[in-house]
Amino acid sequence: MKKIIPALLAMVLVLVFMLPAFGQEDIVELKDPAFTAPKRPAAVFKHDEHNELAQIDDCTPCHHEDVDEEGQFIEGDPDYKCADCHTVEKGNGTPLQLAYHKMCIDCHTEKKAGPVACGQCHVK
Amino acid sequence: MFNEIYELVTGPLAWIGWGIFLLGSVYKLASLWSLAKKKDTSSIYYTKAKFGLRSIAQWSLPFGTLGWRETPSVTVVTFVFHICLILVPIFLSAHVILWEEWFGVSIPALPNHVADVMTLLVIAGGTFFAWRRFSVPEVAFVTSGHDWFVLGVVVAPFLTGFLAYHQIFNYEVMIVLHVITGIAWLALIPFTRLSHMLVSWYSRAYIGSEFQGVRHCKDW
Amino acid sequence: MKKPVFDRKIEDIGLETGTSRLTPEKIQETIQNVLASETGAKLKVYHDTCVRCGLCSKACHYYVSHDGDPTYSPVGKVVQTMAVMIDKKGKVDADFIYRAAQIAYTECNLCRRCIHYCPLGIDTGYIMSMVRRICHKLGVTPQYIQDTAHSHSATMNQMWVKDDEWIDSLLWQEEEARDEFPDMRIPLDKEGADIMYSVIAPEPKFRTHLIYQAGAIMHEAGADWTMPTLHGWDNSDMAMFSGDFEIMGRLKRDHFERAQKLKVNRIVMGECGHAFRSVYDQGNRWLGWADYPVEVVHSVEYFADLLRTGKIKMAQKVKGPITIQDPCNIIRGRGLMEDLRYVAHAIADEVIEMTPSLEHNYCCAAGGGVINCGPPFKNVRVNGNKAKADQLRRVKEQGVDLCLCPCHNCHGGLEDIIHSNELGIDLKFIGDIIYANMVKTKAVEE
């Protein structure tokens, strides 16, 4: 029994945490509420479709927390919000907007696939 | 395919464009200066900063000179056109983001709707100038192919930029055209009538000095 | 838009014989030589940066007077002349040179009014004088102005005045004046005098009374002055306008050296515009002087000084309003508008300004050598200056009967304009009025 309770608890926790993960099926755009006055339409981004197309299984590099000694991203908790670390205003780290832009465009440029110009993501 | 083209125009082509603009400008100024030192020494001799700056300041004032007062429509359009022409490419928010992302330089950005209006003003100004080249006899008489070409080169990045921003027609095609025309605009400055941007400060200062210094008379 | 054609060719024996001797090779070689050796960054910048906005058009009296004919605008004249020579690297034909010469010599007065209109500071007057330079080197110059240049070259004066005729004219005027001023002299070659008074050759030739009047004013003011008996007495310089810069340089050197030989403090020159231009602007530069080597005082400045210091007092002022013609070469060229106003108000009850006035005043259309191109081109400058006729008509309607006109070229030009438009306005030099109305303490009792 003593082993079952933690296991059940773990299952419940996993289920609870999977709910937003199921919810991610609905992600079609990156509408970050941290941007209180966005100047462009939110970037179009279909999470699962993107990952399937790009054959991405890892949550890094997108979901990361900090970098290790070699400058590689440390896997982060997808439940955290980008704006928790990246502030909209210029602070210590990479500002939020720049973080988004670099995350998407740098990878797309490197892979020579995916949108790179403003209007390709911020579709009117 | 698009990614390769986009990378080409915003990468190597842009560097070439900036390189031609910067090196070409340096070459233009240096070669003119050495020619002036050889052939126009008296012009250099009479040019004085005090008179030159006075002249530039006066001509920077809309309606501050006889010429500006005589044709008010041209004066208004010329000032609006040039102000927008210079401010928009530098302070447009999309460009400000690129300055930051590519060069790590962060500068304030124009609000989008303001930049949008300013872009339209450049296009409208260009249309006004085109109308003058067609319909005003003293302008039509002196207009050549070169003038049309230059006008087109100047307005094209604004037109394509406007269409790209509003995603009218094919966005991918438009943004590439926008980058190409913008680069052409820069690269052609030293080699066309657009070089007035580089050298007319000096010709203004020179004639201002001739008038105020030698001829004891204002040049406006 | 259909380009207007040049349909105003005027027959001139100088232009005709000149162009008849041209070959394509000679034309190209000459143009290329002048462009390469005598022009530099200035012309290149003007050629490269003019954006063809047409703003300069309204500056030009020819354009305004021809109801906006674009072929008369400053930039219009450039695209018909220098711009083509540069673009085609000198490959133009003799007909083109004829047209270019006619435009540059007779349809531009080098008055530089267009400077006030060009945002880029392009000096169309300079471009036109370089066109003239090329035409001069090609031997294509209007006959009359070429004749004055020949005279300059042979006699060092503009009007073929011989040495003895010059001295004779001075002695004659002295003799005349002594009837009125018994003690008056025209001191000849007085070494160490304060002032050398110089005139243009048309004065001894056909406006001799001006020398009388100047003598009377000098005498009354108690000036220590002299006039030279030898060449160098003529301050005029038509070679500057014909494009013969070598002769221009000789003339200016001669004029200055005459003053230096007489060891005078300064030169006072008569009421002439272009001669003034040639001492402070063009002739001096050709000789390598930043400014004149001997101080040169224009009559307008000199008279203003005499009136300010009370050396000359007016017995009476001109009744009724007068207006003022602002000669380009002393106003736009040398900023004497305030002195001229001072003088005008000192000698007349009322001054009614032309519109526009001061440095924005319209040219007379005779200056820059145009009147010196002679009778064949008289109508060019008279019909080409309806703008001036309109200005004069407007002041006439306000009661002006007299125009103060301190320049020989302006006199000639305005005289024809007034006559052909039947405006009924008298033209006077300042000297005319001062002489007539000053307090004459040294004259015989009448």
Side-chain angles (χ1 to χ4, degrees):
Chain A
M1 267 308 271
K2 278 183 183 175
K3 282 181 183 176
I4 290 170
I5 291 166
L8 278 171
L9 260 172
M11 271 182 70
V12 169
L13 277 173
V14 165
L15 277 169
V16 166
F17 280 109
M18 268 177 77
L19 281 172
F22 287 129
Q24 271 174 5
E25 300 235 7
D26 296 319
I27 289 181
V28 288
E29 55 179 22
L30 295 174
K31 197 165 195 158
D32 195 322
F35 296 116
T36 46
K39 287 178 181 157
R40 300 273 176 146
V44 173
F45 180 70
K46 292 170 183 157
H47 182 268
D48 292 2
E49 202 180 311
H50 171 263
N51 295 351
E52 216 168 284
L53 236 127
Q55 296 170 334
I56 294 173
D57 298 322
D58 294 343
C59 301
T60 46
C62 298
H63 299 283
H64 58 256
E65 48 180 70
D66 223 335
V67 284
D68 63 20
E69 284 160 1
E70 286 161 19
Q72 298 295 319
F73 282 126
I74 300 165
E75 186 163 341
D77 187 338
D79 201 33
Y80 276 40
K81 294 192 162 44
C82 306
D84 291 348
C85 299
H86 298 284
T87 52
V88 173
E89 296 303 320
K90 241 187 164 172
N92 284 330
T94 314
L96 186 59
Q97 185 194 57
L98 186 62
Y100 271 116
H101 284 162
K102 284 187 89 69
M103 188 53 69
C104 302
I105 298 170
D106 286 2
C107 187
H108 294 166
T109 305
E110 193 192 316
K111 305 272 189 247
K112 296 190 193 302
V116 282
C118 313
Q120 291 180 296
C121 293
H122 301 285
V123 178
K124 293 219 164 184
Chain B
M1 187 62 184
F2 173 82
N3 286 54
E4 278 87 352
I5 295 170
Y6 185 79
E7 202 178 332
L8 177 75
V9 294
T10 57
L13 204 65
W15 283 111
I16 291 169
W18 276 96
I20 294 174
F21 166 58
L22 292 172
L23 294 176
S25 298
V26 169
Y27 167 78
K28 178 93 186 173
L29 291 172
S31 65
L32 280 173
W33 184 247
S34 88
L35 183 61
K37 280 205 294 190
K38 226 162 85 188
K39 293 287 177 193
D40 307 278
T41 37
S42 75
S43 303
I44 296 175
Y45 175 83
Y46 290 107
T47 306
K48 301 280 184 290
K50 183 175 85 171
F51 301 130
L53 292 172
R54 180 76 187 79
S55 179
I56 290 168
Q58 192 70 32
W59 280 89
S60 303
L61 223 65
F63 304 107
T65 69
L66 183 61
W68 287 143
R69 284 192 294 273
E70 286 274 307
T71 322
S73 57
V74 175
T75 305
V76 170
V77 175
T78 301
F79 274 90
V80 169
F81 180 80
H82 282 87
I83 290 167
C84 296
L85 190 73
I86 292 163
L87 292 185
V88 170
I90 300 173
F91 296 107
L92 181 83
S93 68
H95 290 188
V96 167
I97 286 167
L98 296 181
W99 299 140
E100 165 93 50
E101 286 172 19
W102 291 350
F103 304 107
V105 185
S106 66
I107 52 169
L110 287 166
N112 278 335
H113 58 280
V114 173
D116 217 26
V117 171
M118 289 171 82
T119 305
L120 283 173
L121 287 173
V122 171
I123 297 167
T127 312
F128 174 79
F129 291 139
W131 168 77
R132 275 177 65 81
R133 294 214 178 284
F134 262 122
S135 316
V136 178
E138 70 263 28
V139 188
F141 179 64
V142 296
T143 295
S144 65
H146 181 99
D147 302 296
W148 284 110
F149 173 68
V150 166
L151 186 60
V153 164
V154 170
V155 175
F158 291 85
L159 188 64
T160 51
F162 181 82
L163 294 174
Y165 173 69
H166 289 281
Q167 297 170 19
I168 301 165
F169 304 128
N170 184 307
Y171 173 78
E172 272 83 7
V173 171
M174 210 49 78
I175 194 71
V176 169
L177 282 178
H178 173 65
V179 177
I180 291 173
T181 52
I183 292 167
W185 184 79
L186 271 182
L188 286 167
I189 285 173
F191 309 105
T192 59
R193 295 226 165 100
L194 298 177
S195 61
H196 70 262
M197 172 190 137
L198 302 169
V199 294
S200 289
W201 305 99
Y202 197 88
S203 52
R204 181 80 263 151
Y206 160 66
I207 206 71
S209 303
E210 279 274 19
F211 265 63
Q212 298 163 63
V214 179
R215 296 173 193 151
H216 309 160
C217 174
K218 53 191 195 184
D219 61 308
W220 54 85
Chain C
M1 190 182 139
K2 197 167 168 281
K3 300 243 161 174
V5 284
F6 190 87
D7 56 359
R8 50 178 186 265
K9 183 170 172 178
I10 286 173
E11 283 177 22
D12 177 274
I13 192 165
L15 297 179
E16 276 156 15
T17 43
T19 42
S20 72
R21 293 186 195 119
L22 296 176
T23 61
E25 295 75 31
K26 186 181 172 185
I27 294 173
Q28 191 178 6
E29 196 191 324
T30 307
I31 292 176
Q32 294 289 59
N33 273 343
V34 172
L35 292 181
S37 63
E38 297 187 35
T39 73
K42 180 151 70 171
L43 184 65
K44 190 169 165 48
V45 165
Y46 292 162
H47 181 68
D48 288 352
T49 62
C50 172
V51 294
R52 308 286 195 256
C53 67
L55 281 182
C56 54
S57 307
K58 288 179 183 169
C60 187
H61 45 282
Y62 283 102
Y63 170 87
V64 173
S65 303
H66 286 100
D67 305 320
D69 181 339
T71 60
Y72 285 103
S73 81
V75 61
K77 287 176 247 189
V78 173
V79 301
Q80 291 173 94
T81 57
M82 184 57 89
V84 181
M85 293 181 183
I86 295 175
D87 287 341
K88 293 196 170 172
K89 297 186 166 53
K91 277 185 196 158
V92 292
D93 59 18
D95 280 347
F96 176 89
I97 295 296
Y98 195 111
R99 270 201 312 278
Q102 190 177 327
I103 290 169
Y105 284 112
T106 74
E107 295 173 3
C108 172
N109 299 94
L110 312 179
C111 78
R112 298 194 178 115
R113 189 168 189 267
C114 40
I115 293 290
H116 297 294
Y117 285 71
C118 178
L120 302 178
I122 293 169
D123 185 353
T124 307
Y126 167 77
I127 301 174
M128 283 299 121
S129 56
M130 290 321 293
V131 175
R132 291 185 183 190
R133 175 69 171 159
I134 289 169
C135 293
H136 156 73
K137 287 210 151 188
L138 286 168
V140 181
T141 48
Q143 185 195 29
Y144 276 79
I145 194 171
Q146 186 56 51
D147 182 69
T148 63
H150 286 329
S151 170
H152 275 309
S153 150
T155 67
M156 301 307 277
N157 72 71
Q158 194 199 116
M159 290 269 142
W160 300 103
V161 177
K162 297 192 184 85
D163 287 353
D164 59 333
E165 290 173 348
W166 163 243
I167 299 168
D168 208 38
S169 302
L170 296 180
L171 293 175
W172 166 40
Q173 287 310 306
E174 181 185 81
E175 199 182 321
E176 292 275 313
R178 281 168 77 97
D179 285 347
E180 191 181 4
F181 300 91
D183 301 330
M184 197 204 108
R185 299 290 313 271
I186 294 180
L188 300 180
D189 291 337
K190 183 184 169 191
E191 218 180 84
D194 177 37
I195 292 165
M196 176 179 106
Y197 185 63
S198 68
V199 296
I200 61 168
E203 294 203 15
K205 195 81 180 178
F206 52 76
R207 279 173 176 161
T208 333
H209 66 286
L210 293 177
I211 297 174
Y212 175 126
Q213 292 172 2
I217 295 168
M218 292 277 188
H219 180 61
E220 189 58 46
D224 175 18
W225 68 299
T226 185
M227 290 183 86
T229 56
L230 290 173
H231 54 88
W233 56 264
D234 178 13
N235 54 35
S236 78
D237 198 339
M238 272 307 129
M240 167 176 74
F241 288 147
S242 77
D244 195 341
F245 298 155
E246 289 79 5
I247 299 286
M248 168 182 78
R250 274 178 62 205
L251 292 172
K252 283 312 107 178
R253 187 190 299 279
D254 199 37
H255 184 231
F256 289 132
E257 283 182 356
R258 183 57 59 206
Q260 286 169 326
K261 276 174 192 152
L262 289 173
K263 301 188 172 66
V264 295
N265 297 326
R266 55 202 171 127
I267 298 167
V268 171
M269 64 164 56
E271 294 174 58
C272 175
H274 90 276
F276 204 38
R277 179 191 187 119
S278 78
V279 296
Y280 68 75
D281 191 329
Q282 283 187 261
N284 57 321
R285 290 184 196 188
W286 180 265
L287 294 169
W289 281 309
D291 210 334
Y292 29 64
V294 179
E295 192 193 351
V296 183
V297 179
H298 191 270
S299 274
V300 168
E301 297 171 276
Y302 186 64
F303 290 145
D305 183 54
L306 292 183
L307 290 164
R308 273 198 195 103
T309 54
K311 285 176 184 154
I312 290 287
K313 292 187 180 68
M314 299 308 290
Q316 56 176 343
K317 287 187 168 191
V318 176
K319 305 275 173 273
I322 67 166
T323 192
I324 303 171
Q325 163 67 3
D326 292 289
C328 317
N329 290 319
I330 67 171
I331 305 299
R332 206 165 11 256
R334 200 57 164 181
L336 300 188
M337 48 277 203
E338 295 316 318
D339 278 344
L340 181 52
R341 263 64 198 173
Y342 179 83
V343 170
H345 286 278
I347 62 177
D349 279 337
E350 192 190 349
V351 176
I352 294 179
E353 293 280 357
M354 291 186 197
T355 316
S357 68
L358 304 161
E359 68 274 21
H360 294 158
N361 209 332
Y362 279 115
C363 171
C364 63
V370 174
I371 194 169
N372 308 77
C373 292
F377 301 98
K378 183 183 170 186
N379 290 336
V380 173
R381 59 186 166 80
V382 174
N383 299 337
N385 212 352
K386 294 202 187 88
K388 182 57 75 184
D390 289 345
Q391 276 186 299
L392 287 168
R393 197 173 289 118
R394 282 198 295 272
V395 292
K396 174 76 184 175
E397 283 161 6
Q398 296 173 68
V400 168
D401 290 321
L402 193 153
C403 177
L404 196 59
C405 187
C407 167
H408 283 86
N409 274 335
C410 290
H411 251 265
L414 261 57
E415 203 167 277
D416 292 332
I417 290 168
I418 289 168
H419 182 74
S420 107
N421 290 279
E422 297 173 348
L423 295 170
I425 295 175
D426 261 352
L427 286 167
K428 294 281 186 205
F429 286 103
I430 299 171
D432 292 331
I433 297 174
I434 292 183
Y435 163 73
N437 296 343
M438 69 181 176
V439 177
K440 293 173 181 172
T441 59
K442 297 172 183 172
V444 290
E445 298 292 325
E446 280 181 28

